[in-house]
Every structure is written in structure tokens, then in C-alpha cells.
Amino acid sequence: MFRRLLAVFKYKKLARQLRKPAGKAGHDVALMMNRANRSLYQLTLEQLQLSPGDTILEIGFGNGALFPTMAAAFPGVNFCGIDYSDDMVREATELNKEMLSAGQLHLTSGHSNQLPYEAGRFAAVYCINVFYFWDKPVEHIREVHRVLQAGGLFAVTIRSRENLDQMPFTRYGFNKWDTGALEQLLVANGFSLERTAKLEEAVQLDSGAAVQLTSYCVLVKKSGTGL
């Protein structure tokens, strides 16, 4: 019984840190996410269509270690990031001094259901392994819609429900989505579906066991008529 309670506590703590990294544990989780999410960033950037001079927003950037990867893929694009973990904003600020001083990157702390940006500011918005934590997703989707330009792109990248069901920590505070339901929700809130890209990758766990991970990037476009 004690071992089971200890495991539950461990999984709950990890789930809390994945939602909002903080402190030393949050720092360690952010490093882990950088490794785990690198392929998802690659999947996402392959879907986005950007031009020099565009401004793009990442929601939930963690410690921001992958901003240079995105910047290298999109020369001349300006980046903004919002994260509601003050600790992650501080880490990202420290890690990205060069981009920040060049004016290529702007970071802020806040919530994505109350984005501190004017309407129509961004050519694209993306979030990677974040959508699970939106308990009232329509509030966030409508804010993304507001800050996008007409015809702007919104990329939502997630792990498959089947994969998440195999991870014990996702029992605590994760909202799991099938791609069909996610597509319908986005379309119902002012977007048109462009495409859904799929990524399959074999990953070796620390235990040595190999697992197959499936991820999706749902790409939608802001309808010109608005909500």
C-alpha cells in the first residue's frame, strides 16, 4: 500500500511539473522536455509556412532552449513566447540573451486564455504538448484566434491518446484528445482545417524497453470572418 501511495505521489508531482515547471524539479523536467520534444518541434516547423518579417507566438515554451532551433528554420521571423511559469520565463531569458538583445525574441509571463497582445498581431501561433493542460480549451482557442491575422496559422502538436494512456502520470490533470475531436473543436471556434501531420518514432526508455510513439500536429487557419 505504501509503495502504491509513493508511486501516486511521484506521478502527481511529475504531472504538476509538466503543467507548470517550478523550482529545481521544474528545471530538471524542462531539460527532460527539451530532449523529448525535439522531434515534435521538427514536426511542427515542417507544417508552418512563414516569411521573413512575420511574427510568431509560442505558448508554453518551457525553458526556451529550442527557440534557436525555430529561428534557424525561419530566418527573419520574429518570435514571441508566453509561459505561465515565472521560473521558466527566467530560465528562457537567461538561455536566449542573444536573441532577446537582437530584438528577435520577446518573452512574457502570463496565461494563454488572456493573451497580452493586440488583435491580429501574429502570422502563426503554435503550442507543443500544451493543449492537454487547457481545462477550458475554448477560452484559449478564442484568444489565439483573436491575436492571429486573418489567414494566420495555429499549430497544435500533441502525443496520441493511446500513448498518453500508457503513461501513468497522465492520470493526473491531463486532458487527452483524439485528433478528430481536436480538429472539430478548432473548426467550431473560427478555424478551417489545413491538415493533420503524423509522426511515428521508436524511443528507447531508460529501462531499455523500446516503445513506439505517435504524435500529431493539427494545423488550422484563421477564417477571415472571425467568430
Side-chain angles (χ1 to χ4, degrees):
M1 182 65 176
F2 177 75
R3 284 185 178 180
R4 185 181 176 199
L5 287 173
L6 186 62
V8 168
F9 175 77
K10 178 178 68 176
Y11 294 141
K12 282 185 175 180
K13 182 178 179 180
L14 176 57
R16 287 197 302 269
Q17 289 291 349
L18 288 168
R19 177 181 280 258
K20 187 178 184 181
K24 175 61 167 61
H27 170 78
D28 294 340
V29 164
L31 296 178
M32 177 188 72
M33 288 192 294
N34 291 340
R35 295 191 297 270
N37 291 349
R38 187 169 293 276
S39 61
L40 303 189
Y41 274 81
Q42 182 66 33
L43 173 66
T44 304
L45 68 85
E46 288 173 354
Q47 309 313 311
L48 295 173
Q49 304 148 4
L50 300 173
S51 302
D54 284 344
T55 301
I56 183 172
L57 171 67
E58 179 173 6
I59 296 173
F61 51 76
N63 69 2
L66 296 178
F67 274 122
T69 299
M70 300 299 286
F74 300 120
V77 168
N78 299 305
F79 289 82
C80 291
I82 185 167
D83 199 295
Y84 85 141
S85 168
D86 291 337
D87 286 0
M88 291 298 97
V89 175
R90 281 191 288 270
E91 283 202 30
T93 299
E94 188 65 26
L95 286 173
N96 293 284
K97 288 180 178 178
E98 187 173 336
M99 286 183 67
L100 288 162
S101 63
Q104 190 182 6
L105 175 64
H106 300 272
L107 301 176
T108 190
S109 176
H111 296 262
S112 51
N113 60 349
Q114 295 178 315
L115 292 171
Y117 308 109
E118 67 273 18
R121 177 170 180 180
F122 299 105
V125 176
Y126 65 98
C127 61
I128 297 171
N129 277 343
V130 168
F131 203 89
Y132 326 115
F133 304 121
W134 291 352
D135 298 325
K136 297 179 180 179
V138 170
E139 294 181 0
H140 302 261
I141 293 169
R142 289 182 173 176
E143 273 293 271
V144 170
H145 188 279
R146 181 183 66 80
V147 301
L148 274 172
Q149 303 166 6
L153 297 173
F154 181 29
V156 179
T157 302
I158 58 171
R159 299 286 190 192
S160 71
R161 175 189 282 271
E162 292 76 16
N163 283 155
L164 292 179
D165 284 342
Q166 297 171 25
M167 303 174 186
F169 57 84
T170 66
R171 301 171 195 160
Y172 308 101
F174 277 68
N175 303 299
K176 303 170 189 177
W177 287 86
D178 296 313
T179 54
L182 177 54
E183 291 167 355
Q184 290 176 15
L185 182 65
L186 293 167
V187 169
N189 285 279
F191 291 93
S192 59
L193 180 65
E194 290 286 288
R195 60 184 169 275
T196 295
K198 181 179 181 180
L199 173 68
E200 292 186 333
E201 54 187 329
V203 176
Q204 188 169 26
L205 303 179
D206 292 339
S207 64
V211 296
Q212 189 76 14
L213 294 182
T214 302
S215 305
Y216 297 94
C217 179
V218 179
L219 185 73
V220 293
K221 180 182 288 188
K222 178 176 176 176
S223 301
T225 55
L227 291 172

